[in-house]
Structures are given as C-alpha cells and as structure tokens.
Amino acid sequence: MGKWGVMKAGWMSLIAAAMITVTGCGSAGEQAVAPVTTDQPVQTTGASSETTSQAETRVVNDGFGEVEIPTHPKRISALYREDYLVALGVTPIVQYYNPMWGKQDYLKLDVPLFDVTGNIEALLVSEPDLIIAAGEVDAAQYELYSKVAPTFRIPDDVLPDSRKTLTLIAELLGLSDKAEEVLADYDARIVDVKAKLNAAIGDEKVVVLRMNVVDKSINIFGIHNTFVGQLLYEDLGLKAPGFAEAMTEGNIVLSKEVVPELDADHIIILPSNGTWEEESNTKALEEMKTDPLWKNVPAFKNGHVYPVERSYWQTGAITANGLKMDELLRLLTSQK
C-alpha cells in the first residue's frame, strides 16, 4: 500500500465523522499563498528506480507547504474549477454543489455532486488521487482535504487569470501540451469575436450587473472582476461605463445615487439565484425596467438589457468564457 493508501486508512474513521462547511463560490480565502514551484526533486514511490522508468509522484509547493502529488493523476476533484478539467478533456470524479447556489449547470457533467456544506465522507468515497482547491479553502479545510488525498491550493494571484489557471492545472495533470492547444484555439477565438464586436458596437459601453434576489439590490461588476474583467475589458476590448472602470473592487452593491449617472449602453444582467424563468426573478426584472431610477439609463431607454444564465457568467474559466463569447455575439451583433 502506498503512502496515501496508508494515510487514508489511518484517517478513515476521523474523516467519516468530520463535517466541513466550505464557503460559496463568490468568496476568497484570506490567507496569502506563495507562488507555485514545481522544480522540487522528483520523488518515487512503489517500485525502485531500477524497475520504474518514470516517477510515480513528484513534490510541488502550493504555499501551505510541500505537497507530494501523483505524476499522472487520474481521479481528480477540482471543486468549482471543473471547467478547466473539461477544457483539458478530463472528467472530474465529482462536481461542486452548494444547496444555496447550485452547481455549474453549463458543464453538463454526469458525475456525483459533492455538497461542499456537508460531510467530507462523500469525497472520500469517490477516492480522488488529487484534489485541486482554491481561495475558498482555508488552512483548516485544506488540512482536512489533505487527509483524503494530496491537495493543491491554487495561489490567489493566479486565479483571476484564466490562462494562468488553465496552464497551472494542466501542469499538475501532466497535460501541458493539451493546454497549449486549448489556449491557441481560445486566443484565436478571442481575436475573431473582438473584431466582430468592435464592428458592431464600437465604443458603446457594456457592463454586467447581478440582481440579488433576496433584497433586490444590484451588484455591478467592475473591470477587475474575476468573472468578466479579463475577458470583456482586456481580451475583447469592450468599453466599460465610467463608474465600473473606476472601481478598484471586483464588484460592489450599486447605490441608488449612482444609477442615474450609469452611462451603460448595454447591460448584461444575471440573477443571484435560480433562473429568469422563475416568477420571482421575472417580476423583479420587470419592476426594475419600469423604475424611474433606471428608465433614463441608456441601456434601459434603448432596450439593450439582456438577461443571461448565471452559472457561466459567474466564473472566468475557459469553457464558460467560450459560452460568454457566443452570447455576446448573439446579443450585440447579427452573428450567430
């Protein structure tokens, strides 16, 4: 039995009783994480070097310390980062699920759901050989996950950049060549979409808003928002309203005083929960459209308000960004 087999057996009874609550997808960990290094000496387990031509494990450093991971992991959990696995042609063994938010439906995965607010035993049963975590996993949760399988926490400074995140995950999985192919296609797609959007709307200003279903407050996503900032404003070169451009935060609640000055020509809006088919969401949007506060905003005045499906607009990952580009072409141009 290998190292992790022994550890799993030893921790089985403890983990089965442990309960872990992981915060929702919109949260970020407070603990600083050091840059990743993968230049540690490669270690081997199992067969000796005389009988094994390729190392079975290697050591990386993710900021919480050295982590020994499989050189070619096969059973991977990447909670709320499954998008990157899908982009690399890898099927995760479980999918992130939070009963208060749901899951990333757009991925159309046919795998068991892992409720991040529940018992970690469900993850243990899936027998991962590598867990990829991120900012929502703090040191205590990281330690618990590490008792299930080798756990790698993506550094906070990598997460806002979809290309860096994909490249890093690909390195962990031994799929760097595949990542290069994916990113070449991705960048070519961006060049094409950027040209079409520029021809269609030029310097017209685009912003993304989120309607909070509970209190009907509105969040505005700025140019530094990890869900849309890199794709919309950096890669595709879309123009943001002045307020969104000046924001230093990723997103904030939009005060009523700012609304009349919001010079947005196009508004993409998503609900915080559920779909636009739900009566409560539809009613809230209709009320917003008839509210005198919003009626003079250019996008509302000209009928350029676009309700969208929330799950892929609330991640900046590769597959989701492809769907966003499809939707931007559909909404803002005559291209399909």
Side-chain angles (χ1 to χ4, degrees):
M1 180 182 293
K3 173 184 175 182
W4 285 103
V6 173
M7 290 186 68
K8 285 183 187 178
W11 284 101
M12 179 74 75
S13 59
L14 173 62
I15 295 171
M19 297 292 290
I20 180 172
T21 301
V22 180
T23 56
C25 62
S27 63
E30 298 290 340
Q31 183 160 345
V33 181
V36 179
T37 60
T38 56
D39 56 355
Q40 301 287 342
V42 174
Q43 299 182 353
T44 61
T45 61
S48 69
S49 58
E50 294 179 357
T51 59
T52 304
S53 60
Q54 189 174 33
E56 295 180 13
T57 66
R58 61 192 177 106
V59 175
V60 295
N61 190 322
D62 71 348
F64 282 129
E66 290 186 344
V67 184
E68 183 181 345
I69 68 172
T71 302
H72 298 287
K74 301 299 181 185
R75 298 184 58 78
I76 301 123
S77 165
L79 298 175
Y80 205 71
R81 305 302 178 300
E82 294 95 351
D83 185 305
Y84 293 101
L85 300 188
V86 170
L88 292 168
V90 175
T91 301
I93 58 171
V94 294
Q95 183 176 11
Y96 170 102
Y97 172 74
N98 187 318
M100 293 296 292
W101 187 85
K103 59 182 173 63
Q104 292 175 307
D105 294 315
Y106 71 92
L107 292 174
K108 303 185 186 303
L109 289 169
D110 184 20
V111 298
L113 300 180
F114 175 63
D115 184 345
V116 294
T117 69
N119 197 317
I120 201 172
E121 183 179 5
L123 187 58
L124 179 67
V125 169
S126 296
E127 298 184 338
D129 53 28
L130 177 64
I131 298 171
I132 299 172
E136 64 274 4
V137 174
D138 62 20
Q141 295 161 343
Y142 176 87
E143 183 178 358
L144 190 55
Y145 278 128
S146 296
K147 290 176 172 60
V148 175
T151 300
F152 184 96
R153 187 183 186 276
I154 301 171
D156 294 338
D157 61 353
V158 171
L159 283 172
D161 190 314
S162 57
R163 294 174 181 80
K164 289 181 179 178
T165 302
L166 181 77
T167 299
L168 175 55
I169 290 176
E171 288 175 355
L172 296 175
L173 306 186
L175 295 173
S176 294
D177 289 346
K178 177 64 175 177
E180 290 181 5
E181 295 175 9
V182 171
L183 290 179
D185 291 341
Y186 180 71
D187 287 335
R189 171 73 167 152
I190 284 172
V191 170
D192 178 61
V193 173
K194 181 177 181 179
K196 290 174 179 175
L197 292 176
N198 183 64
I201 66 171
D203 289 336
E204 294 176 15
K205 297 171 183 177
V206 181
V207 73
V208 179
L209 304 179
R210 182 176 64 205
M211 176 178 288
N212 300 310
V213 176
V214 175
D215 60 8
K216 297 183 183 178
S217 63
I218 302 294
N219 276 69
I220 180 170
F221 291 3
I223 62 172
H224 302 294
N225 182 272
T226 57
F227 303 149
V228 303
Q230 184 183 48
L231 178 67
L232 266 63
Y233 303 120
E234 183 179 334
D235 291 339
L236 296 177
L238 297 176
K239 305 301 181 184
F243 185 81
E245 191 171 25
M247 286 170 54
T248 56
E249 304 91 340
N251 77 88
I252 60 172
V253 174
L254 189 65
S255 67
K256 291 184 178 181
E257 292 76 12
V258 173
V259 172
E261 302 173 8
L262 188 64
D263 56 336
D265 299 294
H266 302 273
I267 290 177
I268 294 163
I269 188 166
L270 55 138
S272 60
N273 292 88
T275 70
W276 289 116
E277 283 69 40
E278 295 177 20
E279 184 178 355
S280 58
N281 287 346
T282 301
K283 182 179 179 181
L285 182 58
E286 290 305 314
E287 290 176 355
M288 185 180 178
K289 288 180 178 179
T290 58
D291 188 335
L293 196 65
W294 287 93
K295 289 184 72 172
N296 289 326
V297 174
F300 278 87
K301 187 185 298 185
N302 298 317
H304 294 161
V305 178
Y306 317 111
V308 297
E309 197 273 315
R310 65 191 175 89
S311 69
Y312 55 86
W313 279 94
Q314 289 196 120
T315 175
I318 297 295
T319 309
N321 283 352
L323 292 173
K324 289 176 200 166
M325 285 190 276
D326 292 342
E327 194 149 54
L328 288 168
L329 288 178
R330 179 176 62 83
L331 296 173
L332 302 180
T333 79
S334 59
Q335 301 294 327
K336 299 297 183 181

